[in-house]
Amino acid sequence: GGALVLSVYNADRLAEQERYGRVFILDPHASQMETNDLVIRFYDPNDEDTDGTPYYSHWFTADEVRSLVADSGFRVLDSEERKSRIVLVARPS
């Protein structure tokens, strides 16, 4: 009887996120921009000699996330875009 609330990064807003902040920076050489698969590097402000600790982040299109939710046995009740996020509310089919 519960609902799924899902929030993911919005691929349509990807160009706006070239720099994540002071310590998180997009690595364009390790990222696959065509498929929205990114590698972000964390730079410890106390360690200037680091190459950054990488982590993976995938950004979704609205159609992609809706399809994945439907393929998982849910029906989407509502969705909206909020800044760099897509938020969905779904229930089991």
Side-chain angles (χ1 to χ4, degrees), residues 3-20:
L4 168 68
V5 178
L6 179 66
S7 175
V8 297
Y9 285 115
N10 184 347
D12 292 334
R13 304 281 175 89
L14 184 56
E16 300 170 12
Q17 301 297 321
E18 288 294 319
R19 184 171 176 90
Y20 278 59

Side-chain angles (χ1 to χ4, degrees), residues 43-93:
Y43 291 92
D44 183 341
N46 298 317
D47 184 0
E48 294 181 16
D49 294 328
T50 181
D51 288 333
T53 302
Y55 75 89
Y56 170 81
S57 178
H58 179 77
W59 289 49
F60 294 85
T61 64
D63 289 341
E64 180 184 14
V65 74
R66 284 178 161 277
S67 178
L68 287 168
V69 168
D71 290 349
S72 297
F74 289 85
R75 73 179 191 290
V76 176
L77 302 176
D78 195 13
S79 69
E80 63 182 52
E81 295 183 17
R82 294 183 175 188
K83 297 186 180 182
S84 63
R85 311 289 293 177
I86 299 170
V87 180
L88 295 176
V89 178
R91 291 205 185 272
S93 296

